[in-house]
Structure formats: C-alpha cells, structure tokens
C-alpha cells in the first residue's frame, strides 16, 4: 500500500480534521536549486526557509502561480528583520500565506492580520520547553524541533491544544511515520527525497 494512503488511513482513524495545512510532508525550501522540484511536487503547502529578501516576492508569486500555499520563515530571510515592519512587509508586499517564527511578537502580528502563524519551538531542554509552552500567544500551529522526539510532540500538543508540526532532523520515511503516529499533523523537511511522499 502506498505511503500516502497509509497516512490518510491513520488520519481517518484519529479523526483529525485538517484545516489550513495538508497532512504528511510539507516541503521546506532551504536550497534554491530544489525550487523547481518543490513546484513539481504534489504538495499544496510549501515553506521558504533561507531566502534573500530581494528574491522572495518573485519566488512566492511564482509558487502561487503553481497553486502553492506559501509559508515564509521570517527569521531566516536574509536582509529582513523579523519585527512588526518586517512581518508587515511579508504579509502586504510578499503576500505570504503564513509566517513562521521563533518570535511570539511575529506570530501575534501575523494573526492580527489574519495570516496563519506558526511558532517554531526548539526543544533544547525542559526550561526552554516550559517557557515556550506557557507563551501568551496562541499560534495556529507549533513546529517542534527536532521533530524526531516523539514524547515532546505529544507533550507540547497536550499542554497547548495547538496542532503540532514536526521539523528538524527528519531524515527517513520512518522519521516521518513516527512523527505522524505520535500526533504531529504534518512534517516539514528540506530533504527533497522525502517530498515524493
């Protein structure tokens, strides 16, 4: 049985309602040489990680011409400060469908402007985890990194009630399956080999 069919069966079994994001893999573009491969993938949602501010609007527009929903990691755009003005630029000028950031102020600004906000949470230690879980901002999603730590995915979801995306150190099909079985709604990966699922 194909992997995508197995994932769909698991989601139906769990009764997960998918809203903004598709289930399974979300391609994350780290290297521009994989841009065409990302556009040709079957995935509707894509993430721009490391890009330059001078190229971003054109890349996003081109991806949208290919019917992609585009999320931008504001902290990783070279030449952009991820303060309110930078997030406003991404929303109004670049036309990003969603903002990803480790900064709660960026997520708050995105949500005030009716743009999906994904809070990126690094599970470095229990203090960092507790601090991020108790944030006053309620993002649409929380991306947990590294995404290969099943108990953290479960703990963050149970503590916040926010859908979880697993990201970071996702290297194999088994990593993807494990994250989804643990309760992640989706998995981000910059590994183009995993985009075929």
């Amino acid at each position: 049985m194909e992997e995508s069919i197995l994932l769909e069966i698991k989601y139906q079994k769990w009764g997960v309602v998918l809203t903004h994001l598709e289930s399974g893999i979300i391609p994350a573009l780290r290297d521009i040489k994989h841009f065409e491969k990302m556009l040709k993938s079957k995935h509707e949602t894509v993430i721009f990680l490391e890009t330059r501010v001078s190229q971003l609007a054109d890349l996003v527009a081109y991806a949208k011409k290919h019917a992609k929903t585009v999320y931008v990691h504001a902290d990783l755009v070279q030449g952009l400060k991820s303060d309110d003005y930078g997030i406003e630029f991404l929303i109004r000028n670049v036309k990003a469908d969603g903002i990803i950031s480790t900064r709660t102020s960026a997520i708050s600004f995105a949500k005030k402007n009716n743009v999906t906000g994904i809070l990126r949470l690094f599970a470095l230690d229990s203090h960092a985890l507790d601090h991020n879980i108790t944030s006053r901002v309620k993002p649409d999603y929380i991306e947990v990194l590294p995404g290969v730590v099943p108990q953290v995915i479960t703990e963050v979801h149970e503590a916040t009630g926010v859908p979880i995306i697993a990201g970071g150190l996702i290297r194999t099909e088994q990593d993807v399956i494990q994250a989804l079985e643990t309760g992640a709604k989706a998995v981000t990966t910059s590994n183009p080999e995993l985009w075929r699922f």
Side-chain angles (χ1 to χ4, degrees):
M1 192 177 285
E2 281 188 43
E3 194 65 41
S4 61
I5 294 170
L6 286 173
L7 293 175
E8 286 175 26
I9 291 169
K10 288 176 186 172
Y11 276 113
Q12 289 171 2
K13 177 181 164 189
W14 296 331
V16 174
V17 177
L18 302 177
T19 53
H20 302 289
L21 293 177
E22 61 189 286
S23 64
I25 298 287
I26 301 174
L29 185 70
R30 182 176 300 282
D31 189 335
I32 195 69
K33 72 181 180 185
H34 300 299
F35 183 65
E36 288 295 325
K37 187 170 190 168
M38 181 193 71
L39 291 179
K40 292 177 183 175
S41 76
K42 65 180 180 175
H43 304 285
E44 296 170 9
T45 304
V46 297
I47 295 172
F48 285 95
L49 292 177
E50 297 171 8
T51 56
R52 295 194 321 244
V53 71
S54 62
Q55 298 175 325
L56 191 56
D58 290 336
L59 291 172
V60 170
Y62 197 68
K64 287 183 173 217
K65 284 183 182 175
H66 284 80
K68 303 294 184 187
T69 299
V70 180
Y71 291 177
V72 175
H73 193 311
D75 304 344
L76 298 179
V77 177
Q78 297 168 15
L80 181 80
K81 187 174 180 182
S82 57
D83 60 5
D84 286 354
Y85 299 113
I87 303 304
E88 180 180 24
F89 174 79
L90 292 176
I91 293 169
R92 298 188 200 286
N93 296 80
V94 174
K95 309 286 189 217
D97 297 303
I99 301 296
I100 302 169
S101 180
T102 57
R103 299 168 43 107
T104 55
S105 60
I107 301 307
S108 178
F109 191 88
K111 289 184 61 75
K112 285 178 187 171
N113 286 275
N114 299 315
V115 172
T116 301
I118 300 174
L119 180 66
R120 203 172 215 208
L121 185 153
F122 290 96
L124 302 174
D125 57 29
S126 57
H127 176 72
L129 192 60
D130 292 341
H131 175 73
N132 283 298
I133 286 176
T134 59
S135 169
R136 287 177 279 154
V137 173
K138 183 155 178 142
D140 296 296
Y141 303 92
I142 297 175
E143 183 182 19
V144 173
L145 289 95
V148 291
V149 185
Q151 30 317 12
V152 174
I153 292 170
T154 303
E155 181 181 341
V156 172
H157 179 66
E158 288 175 356
T160 64
V162 175
I164 303 300
I165 301 169
L169 299 178
I170 304 290
R171 295 182 177 135
T172 66
E173 290 176 54
Q174 188 57 39
D175 292 338
V176 173
I177 293 166
Q178 180 182 10
L180 294 170
E181 287 179 341
T182 308
K185 182 173 181 173
V187 176
T188 63
T189 180
S190 59
N191 180 350
E193 295 304 314
L194 294 175
W195 297 351
R196 60 189 166 93
F197 299 107

